[in-house]
Amino acid sequence: MSDAALRRPPGPNPRTLIESLETLIARRLSLPECDPQDLARRLGVDLAELDLIAEVNHGLTVSELLLERRLEHVVTLIRQEQLAVETAARRSGFTTLTSFLRAFDARYSGG
């Protein structure tokens, strides 16, 4: 299914949109250029609308959801494929090891 196929028709239910968002994040999270604006544009919706739907369904903004999925992906790659941390971080869309470590620390250490 192409990204265009994930675009919602006019007026679908929010559940369909959140499912499309999850699919798109899973497909694109490894790309550093994948950001909330990119996701909203690909889904054909305003970012504010997408944020609202994400918050209702996940308790997170699109930005927070994308970061959470990237962090989970790094951990999965380290555990399942035994990749080095930096390699796993880059394959999960982080541009530098430092950006990953900051995000990881903020998420898991409360720092």
Side-chain angles (χ1 to χ4, degrees):
M1 185 184 309
S2 70
D3 288 348
L6 292 173
R7 288 192 189 180
R8 65 187 186 115
N13 83 41
R15 189 78 227 142
T16 302
L17 184 58
I18 203 71
E19 289 168 4
S20 294
L21 174 63
E22 287 281 1
T23 300
L24 198 54
I25 287 174
R27 285 185 184 169
R28 298 186 54 80
L29 67 78
S30 65
L31 304 172
E33 64 271 15
C34 177
D35 64 17
Q37 270 309 119
D38 173 62
L39 295 168
R41 183 177 40 75
R42 289 175 182 279
L43 292 169
V45 297
D46 182 79
L47 180 56
E49 178 185 358
L50 194 57
D51 268 337
L52 179 62
I53 292 168
E55 287 187 77
V56 167
N57 285 275
H58 290 289
L60 303 169
T61 64
V62 175
S63 181
E64 293 165 337
L65 184 60
L66 177 60
L67 180 59
E68 187 71 19
R69 295 298 182 264
R70 281 185 164 146
L71 290 169
E72 290 168 357
H73 193 248
V74 172
V75 172
T76 298
L77 290 175
I78 292 169
R79 286 184 177 156
Q80 293 181 358
E81 297 184 26
Q82 300 175 340
L83 294 179
V85 172
E86 185 169 7
T87 302
R90 288 189 184 275
R91 288 189 186 176
S92 301
F94 291 96
T95 55
T96 66
L97 179 59
T98 301
S99 64
F100 162 71
L101 291 173
R102 275 193 208 121
F104 188 89
D105 185 54
R107 172 63 177 94
Y108 296 105
S109 303

